[in-house]
Amino acid sequence: MATEANNSLQSICYKRGSLQLLDQRKLPLETIYLNIQDSTDAWHAIKDMVVRGAPAIAIAAALSLAVEVFNLENFDGTSDDAVSYLTMKLEYLVSSRPTAVNLSDAATKLKEVISKAVATASDGRSVFQAYIQAAEIMLEDDVASNKAIGSYGAGFLHSQLNNFKKLSVLTHCNTGSLATAGYGTALGVIRALHTEGVLERAYCTETRPFNQGSRLTAFELVHDNIPATLIADSAAAALMKDGRVNAVVVGADRVAANGDTANKIGTYSLAIIAKHHNIPFLVAAPLTSIDLSLSSGKEIVIEERSPKELLNTRGGLGEQVAAKGVSVWNPAFDVTPAALVSGIITEKGVITKKGNDDFDIKDFVKKGAKQCCS
Ligand code: MRU
């Protein structure tokens, strides 16, 4: 399967043996694709934010290794050699960014594929072939799952807020085509509401310090002609107080088994403000963002990024504007407690709370069926 660099909003352009990533650091001013030849290129592209967003990171990493082994002309190892090679590279890729679980989830699934393949493989190349096919399927599956999230999310919001003819939704960071293989998660819900003619307006935060909202989400919303307004992160409380928001919908980097959700720094503040104003706060995420091995958000490792993101303009890429010598704390994510989350929109349906105010995510994942409205 192949994706082509014919749409400026496509962050991952892949065809067998070649991968290009849209350099998101340059958006919206420049549209530049970087060639990714191997897992080392991808590790740096992920660490340096060329590609970002939990699902996009996972897929870009998986495909970079597919490209690397496809082009490994001199490899004549056994199937066990191929498994060791792929396993080592997958572990290396997982070390690029720690908070988003999608990358380690993809690595675990790909390791399962190659250990199954080795049972029937005649040589190392057949293991590589099985790996390549599995990585390509991840690319295809992500778009389908995002469309399902969009549709479930729009249906849920519609049914919950049925006194309103049209809804305005506030979102944070970038969860759109750029953060995924296409369409997006929280932004996918906004896209679906717009397609169904029930979106009044999307509000997007700037998302300091890296400005994923003002640079990327605003770009996607304008590109799709979706009525949209950009706000400073600090304007969210005033916006909600003014009654201009019917729901807040955000993405996730890792959801613990109890529903605690790690997402872009500032998400927790939005959830508190939404609670104060009695506004539904929803997390939109594929099942690959759910980490059932963690009982709560306390166990989620939060990535801290360079002080330069705060000290300098353009998320650290421009000149220094903050006072020289000041110390900086720059966590990339925060954890929103499940108590503040009204529902989790997945590709299998919306997870809502049972009577005791707890999510039963394990049960939902086990059943693999929708628990709530379509
Ligand atoms: O640091 P980033 O830009 O990778 O952070 C991205 C987010 O926090 C997104 O909300 C999350 O990954 C979900 S993307 C569908």
Side-chain angles (χ1 to χ4, degrees), residues 49 52-55 57 97 172-176 179-180 185 212 251-253 263-264 332-333:
M49 307 286 275
R52 31 64 51 204
I57 290 170
R97 286 191 83 191
H172 188 52
C173 195
N174 174 263
T175 60
T180 61
T185 56
Q212 288 94 330
D253 284 83
N263 191 51
K264 179 53 52 193
F333 304 99

Coordinates of all heavy atoms in Angstrom, one line a residue, residues 49 52-55 57 97 172-176 179-180 185 212 251-253 263-264 332-333, ligand 1:
M49 N 10.5 16.5 17.1 CA 9.1 16.9 16.8 C 8.9 17.2 15.3 O 8.0 18.0 14.9 CB 8.8 18.2 17.6 CG 9.0 18.1 19.1 SD 7.7 17.1 19.9 CE 6.4 18.3 20.2
R52 N 4.8 14.4 15.4 CA 4.4 14.3 16.8 C 2.9 13.9 16.8 O 2.3 13.8 15.7 CB 4.7 15.6 17.6 CG 4.7 16.9 16.9 CD 3.4 17.3 16.3 NE 2.4 17.2 17.3 CZ 1.1 17.1 17.0 NH1 0.7 17.1 15.8 NH2 0.2 17.0 18.0
G53 N 2.4 13.7 18.0 CA 1.0 13.2 18.1 C 1.2 11.7 18.3 O 1.8 11.0 17.5
A54 N 0.5 11.1 19.3 CA 0.7 9.7 19.7 C 0.6 8.7 18.6 O 1.5 7.9 18.4 CB -0.2 9.4 20.9
P55 N -0.5 8.7 17.8 CA -0.6 7.7 16.8 C 0.4 7.9 15.6 O 1.0 6.9 15.1 CB -2.1 7.9 16.3 CG -2.8 8.6 17.4 CD -1.8 9.5 18.0
I57 N 3.4 9.2 15.8 CA 4.7 8.7 16.2 C 4.8 7.2 16.1 O 5.9 6.7 15.6 CB 4.9 9.1 17.7 CG1 5.0 10.6 17.9 CG2 6.1 8.4 18.3 CD1 5.0 11.1 19.4
R97 N 10.4 8.9 22.7 CA 9.5 9.7 23.5 C 8.7 8.8 24.4 O 8.0 7.9 24.0 CB 8.5 10.5 22.6 CG 9.2 11.7 21.9 CD 8.2 12.7 21.3 NE 7.6 13.6 22.3 CZ 6.6 14.4 22.0 NH1 6.0 14.3 20.9 NH2 6.2 15.3 22.9
H172 N -7.7 21.1 22.3 CA -6.4 21.5 22.7 C -5.3 20.7 21.9 O -5.6 19.6 21.5 CB -6.3 21.2 24.2 CG -5.0 21.7 24.9 ND1 -4.6 23.0 24.9 CD2 -4.1 21.0 25.7 CE1 -3.5 23.1 25.6 NE2 -3.2 22.0 26.1
C173 N -4.2 21.3 21.7 CA -3.0 20.7 21.0 C -3.5 20.4 19.6 O -4.4 21.0 19.1 CB -2.6 19.5 21.8 SG -0.9 18.9 21.2
N174 N -2.8 19.4 18.9 CA -3.2 19.0 17.6 C -3.5 17.5 17.6 O -2.6 16.7 17.9 CB -2.2 19.4 16.5 CG -2.6 18.8 15.2 OD1 -2.1 17.7 14.8 ND2 -3.5 19.4 14.5
T175 N -4.7 17.1 17.3 CA -5.1 15.7 17.3 C -5.6 15.3 15.9 O -6.4 14.4 15.8 CB -6.2 15.5 18.3 OG1 -7.3 16.3 18.0 CG2 -5.7 15.8 19.7
G176 N -5.2 16.1 14.9 CA -5.9 15.9 13.6 C -5.1 15.0 12.6 O -4.4 14.1 13.1
A179 N -1.5 14.5 13.4 CA -1.1 13.8 14.6 C -1.4 12.3 14.5 O -1.1 11.5 15.4 CB -1.8 14.3 15.8
T180 N -1.9 11.9 13.3 CA -2.4 10.5 13.1 C -2.0 10.2 11.6 O -1.4 10.9 10.9 CB -3.9 10.4 13.3 OG1 -4.5 11.3 12.3 CG2 -4.3 10.9 14.7
T185 N -8.3 12.3 15.9 CA -9.1 11.8 17.0 C -10.1 12.8 17.5 O -11.2 12.9 17.0 CB -8.2 11.2 18.1 OG1 -7.3 12.3 18.5 CG2 -7.4 10.1 17.6
Q212 N 1.2 23.8 19.0 CA 0.6 22.8 18.1 C -0.8 23.3 17.7 O -1.3 23.0 16.6 CB 0.4 21.4 18.8 CG 1.8 20.7 19.0 CD 2.4 20.9 20.3 OE1 2.2 22.0 20.9 NE2 3.1 20.0 20.8
G251 N -7.4 14.9 22.9 CA -6.9 13.6 22.6 C -6.2 13.0 23.8 O -6.4 13.5 24.9
A252 N -5.4 12.0 23.6 CA -4.7 11.4 24.8 C -3.4 10.8 24.3 O -3.3 10.3 23.1 CB -5.6 10.3 25.4
D253 N -2.4 10.8 25.2 CA -1.2 10.1 24.9 C -1.1 8.8 25.6 O -0.4 7.8 25.2 CB 0.0 11.0 25.3 CG 0.2 12.1 24.3 OD1 -0.5 13.1 24.3 OD2 1.0 11.9 23.3
N263 N -2.2 13.8 28.6 CA -2.3 14.5 27.3 C -1.5 15.8 27.4 O -0.9 16.2 28.5 CB -3.8 14.8 27.0 CG -4.0 15.3 25.5 OD1 -3.4 14.7 24.6 ND2 -4.6 16.4 25.3
K264 N -1.5 16.6 26.3 CA -0.6 17.8 26.3 C -0.8 18.7 27.5 O -1.9 18.9 28.0 CB -1.1 18.5 25.0 CG -0.3 19.8 24.7 CD 1.2 19.8 24.7 CE 1.8 18.7 23.9 NZ 3.2 18.4 24.2
A332 N 5.9 18.1 29.1 CA 5.2 18.2 27.9 C 3.7 17.8 28.0 O 2.9 18.1 27.2 CB 5.9 17.3 26.8
F333 N 3.4 17.0 29.1 CA 2.1 16.5 29.3 C 1.7 16.7 30.8 O 2.5 16.9 31.6 CB 2.1 15.0 29.0 CG 2.6 14.7 27.6 CD1 3.9 14.3 27.4 CD2 1.7 14.9 26.5 CE1 4.4 14.0 26.1 CE2 2.2 14.6 25.2 CZ 3.5 14.2 25.0
Ligands
MRU1 O1 3.9 16.7 22.2 P1 2.9 16.3 21.1 O2 2.6 17.3 20.1 O3 3.3 14.9 20.5 O4 1.6 16.1 22.0 C1 0.4 15.6 21.3 C2 -0.8 15.5 22.2 O5 -0.7 15.7 23.3 C3 -2.0 15.0 21.5 O6 -3.2 15.5 22.1 C4 -2.0 13.4 21.6 O7 -0.8 12.9 21.2 C5 -3.2 12.8 20.8 S1 -2.9 12.9 19.1 C6 -4.2 12.2 18.3

